[in-house]
Amino acid sequence: MVFSSVTFLFYYLPALIILYYVAPQKLKNLVMFLASMVFYAWGEIRFIPVMLALSVEDYVCARLMDKYADHKRLRRLFMLISVGSNLGVLLFFKYTNFFVGNLNALVGGGIPQPNIILPIGVSFNSFQSISYAIDVYRGTTNSEKSYYNYLTYTTLFPQIIAGPIVRYVTVEHDLDDHLLTADSFSRGTRRFLIGLGKKVLIANNVGFLWSQISTGAAGEPSVLLYWIGIIAYTFQIYFDFSGYSDMAIGLARIFGLTFDENFNYPYISRSITEFWRRWHITLGAWFRDYVYIPMGGNRCGKLKQLRNLLVVWALTGFWHGASWNFVFWGLYFAIILIIEKFVLLRFWDKVPRILQHIYALVLIIISWVIFYFEDLSAMGAYFRGMFGWQHVPLWNKQALYYLLGYGLIFVLAAFFATPVFQKLLIRLECSARKPVLVGVSLGYVFLFAACVAYLVNSTYNPFLYFRF
């Protein structure tokens, strides 16, 4: 069950809101936990026992870390048990097929392929639990005394599938207080609707175009058609993922919780360094705080700093999927970030801003080719097509047809990928004039109606981050 579905919008969510708001304060976490179990069981009931077993182990290890606060070795042991268990689950479910396949390729076969199915959201859930164990060990937070509360935290349905990665310290007090107000409900609903519009009206439309071009169903190829396709995917992955994050953050506000922001208009960046400060913010912060800094960060000389950057970005890529293209994708960014850090950014302010934006956007668009194609030969073929190395024309009738047909939505996607509309919307929502506020409210109603109309009439409604 995805947020952008009729089942969720008209059955699951309204029923949960009613139950949650009428439930006594002491039972709200129970309602949220049961709702999360129903939500997850809708598609992955087989993984629920593993999730619950890990929650018990993480809770007990954290409590023991607090109990033996003066015994450093015991605290470290319990932290390692918790972290190791979550990493073990992640490695088993997500990477066993990859490791076996590569080992067979090296030794010439012989090991049966297990074909383990990837549980939905395992990457996000594992990283969230690991952050809790390490934070308790470091003393950043105390362990949660109520297993009931911890279970609610570790199974929260708004972010369990695709983030943002929510640390326990972020929602610790919300799990006790449940400060439900008309303002939080209103803000959460508006944020959810904006995310729904991003996903349904923009990501789905440009995603359909990308599916046609990437599979060869768009007709005779040309250089222009290849660029139209990857630009469509560039918009799709941003509006799909940031739209989901908006919906998750909005749902959290509706239920009295506060999640961290996950995107900050990354396509307005003027460097790749800036891009990664704006893209998937909670993942970048996780690797910084739990991998890069513990390895020494930038405090141990240039050679070790280079090593740390390469390791962290290889892991960042590998976290996204069990395939070599994700590792290459991570290393691609590592190399660019290293060049920027030690060379480019020293004189970057002297470069015209428009050239900075073009530089960043071209490198970002190229990165999505690496990210998308798990088949390295298909990736190479697409790159050859993009750069005219495949004996195809610069443009043709098919390319012009798709450019004209999708030109408007490309312009709208580019506009909404900037903060201009958000600033205008905030100004309108803060207006004291009643006609303006009524107009804004009607705009949200129209947005919801447009999304529902699309969902009812279209069968194309993928969610990219299910595979991560």
Side-chain angles (χ1 to χ4, degrees):
M1 179 164 41
V2 296
F3 297 162
S4 56
S5 67
V6 172
T7 301
F8 181 84
L9 294 172
F10 287 96
Y11 298 99
Y12 178 91
L13 184 57
L16 175 56
I17 289 174
I18 293 171
L19 288 173
Y20 192 80
Y21 274 76
V22 301
Q25 187 77 359
K26 292 182 178 180
L27 296 181
K28 291 190 185 298
N29 282 346
L30 176 62
V31 172
M32 181 59 69
F33 164 68
L34 294 176
S36 297
M37 288 297 96
V38 171
F39 181 86
Y40 197 84
W42 195 268
E44 284 292 352
I45 193 170
R46 292 170 296 179
F47 187 61
I48 285 180
V50 179
M51 183 189 299
L52 295 178
L54 279 175
S55 72
V56 172
E57 185 230 25
D58 293 335
Y59 171 78
V60 170
C61 285
R63 295 294 294 141
L64 289 172
M65 277 188 267
D66 272 359
K67 181 178 180 180
Y68 295 101
D70 297 329
H71 296 75
K72 187 175 181 180
R73 289 185 178 179
L74 280 178
R75 282 172 56 80
R76 185 177 180 83
L77 173 63
F78 295 130
M79 181 273 291
L80 291 174
I81 290 173
S82 181
V83 171
S85 299
N86 283 281
L87 276 179
V89 168
L90 178 62
L91 289 171
F92 174 77
F93 282 103
K94 191 168 184 175
Y95 300 103
T96 298
N97 294 335
F98 173 80
F99 290 132
V100 171
N102 279 274
L103 188 58
N104 279 333
L106 285 173
V107 300
I111 304 174
Q113 190 72 31
N115 293 321
I116 296 170
I117 297 174
L118 178 67
I120 295 171
V122 65
S123 299
F124 293 93
N125 188 259
S126 297
F127 271 31
Q128 181 172 290
S129 299
I130 289 170
S131 72
Y132 172 71
I134 295 176
D135 284 348
V136 172
Y137 173 74
R138 290 175 175 174
T140 306
T141 183
N142 292 322
S143 64
E144 172 58 63
K145 294 180 174 60
S146 167
Y147 174 67
Y148 179 47
N149 282 6
Y150 179 75
L151 188 59
T152 304
Y153 156 71
T154 198
T155 60
L156 283 170
F157 84 89
Q159 52 72 233
I160 198 170
I161 291 178
I165 299 172
V166 179
R167 302 187 194 186
Y168 173 73
V169 292
T170 305
V171 295
E172 178 181 3
H173 299 296
D174 293 340
L175 292 171
D176 288 322
D177 297 337
H178 300 286
L179 296 176
L180 305 175
T181 65
D183 181 66
S184 68
F185 184 89
S186 174
R187 288 177 181 271
T189 302
R190 283 177 283 166
R191 185 67 179 270
F192 178 85
L193 290 175
I194 288 172
L196 183 66
K198 282 183 177 182
K199 160 62 182 165
V200 173
L201 301 181
I202 299 180
N204 282 4
N205 277 290
V206 294
F208 181 76
L209 172 60
W210 168 242
S211 70
Q212 295 292 105
I213 294 174
S214 63
T215 59
E220 291 297 320
S222 65
V223 173
L224 178 58
L225 191 66
Y226 280 113
W227 279 95
I228 290 172
I230 197 57
I231 290 171
Y233 183 65
T234 297
F235 283 130
Q236 182 194 12
I237 195 167
Y238 168 65
F239 284 103
D240 192 283
F241 192 20
S242 72
Y244 187 97
S245 291
D246 285 337
M247 287 188 278
I249 292 167
L251 287 169
R253 292 294 295 272
I254 289 173
F255 297 108
L257 303 169
T258 301
F259 288 175
D260 292 326
E261 294 293 334
N262 212 23
F263 289 89
N264 184 23
Y265 302 101
Y267 290 161
I268 69 171
S269 300
R270 290 182 286 147
S271 67
I272 298 304
T273 301
E274 182 183 358
F275 172 75
W276 275 104
R277 291 180 184 140
R278 295 174 176 272
W279 178 275
H280 206 340
I281 298 168
T282 57
L283 178 67
W286 195 97
F287 273 104
R288 179 196 66 212
D289 295 342
Y290 301 112
V291 182
Y292 183 69
I293 292 176
M295 288 180 66
N298 56 5
R299 306 184 309 274
C300 48
K302 287 187 178 180
L303 285 178
K304 288 187 177 179
Q305 187 179 354
L306 290 173
R307 177 206 64 185
N308 296 344
L309 287 168
L310 289 170
V311 169
V312 165
W313 283 101
L315 291 175
T316 300
F318 202 39
W319 176 87
H320 282 82
S323 177
W324 282 110
N325 68 300
F326 294 112
V327 178
F328 298 147
W329 179 75
L331 292 174
Y332 167 85
F333 278 121
I335 293 169
I336 297 171
L337 289 167
I338 288 169
I339 294 172
E340 286 187 355
K341 184 177 183 66
F342 293 103
V343 182
L344 287 182
L345 295 186
R346 293 179 180 180
F347 59 84
W348 204 234
D349 289 339
K350 298 178 182 179
V351 178
R353 286 196 170 195
I354 185 64
L355 294 181
Q356 294 176 0
H357 285 299
I358 292 172
Y359 155 85
L361 284 174
V362 170
L363 291 180
I364 292 166
I365 290 169
I366 289 173
S367 79
W368 294 133
V369 179
I370 303 171
F371 187 87
Y372 180 81
F373 288 103
E374 295 184 15
D375 185 333
L376 300 185
S377 62
M379 182 197 303
Y382 203 91
F383 273 129
R384 290 194 296 273
M386 284 176 63
F387 294 103
W389 302 331
Q390 202 157 274
H391 306 293
V392 295
L394 290 177
W395 67 82
N396 55 17
K397 291 182 179 180
Q398 284 87 351
L400 295 176
Y401 169 79
Y402 283 110
L403 187 61
L404 291 173
Y406 283 86
L408 178 59
I409 194 162
F410 270 28
V411 171
L412 290 174
F415 174 71
F416 288 118
T418 72
V420 175
F421 177 75
Q422 179 66 18
K423 291 178 180 178
L424 175 62
L425 188 59
I426 291 173
R427 185 176 298 178
L428 291 174
E429 290 178 344
C430 293
S431 173
R433 299 172 61 187
K434 189 173 181 180
V436 173
L437 296 177
V438 172
V440 171
S441 299
L442 290 175
Y444 281 108
V445 173
F446 176 78
L447 175 62
F448 180 67
C451 291
V452 172
Y454 180 94
L455 292 172
V456 169
N457 291 306
S458 176
T459 58
Y460 187 81
N461 187 30
F463 177 62
L464 302 183
Y465 269 71
F466 268 156
R467 64 174 178 156
F468 309 130

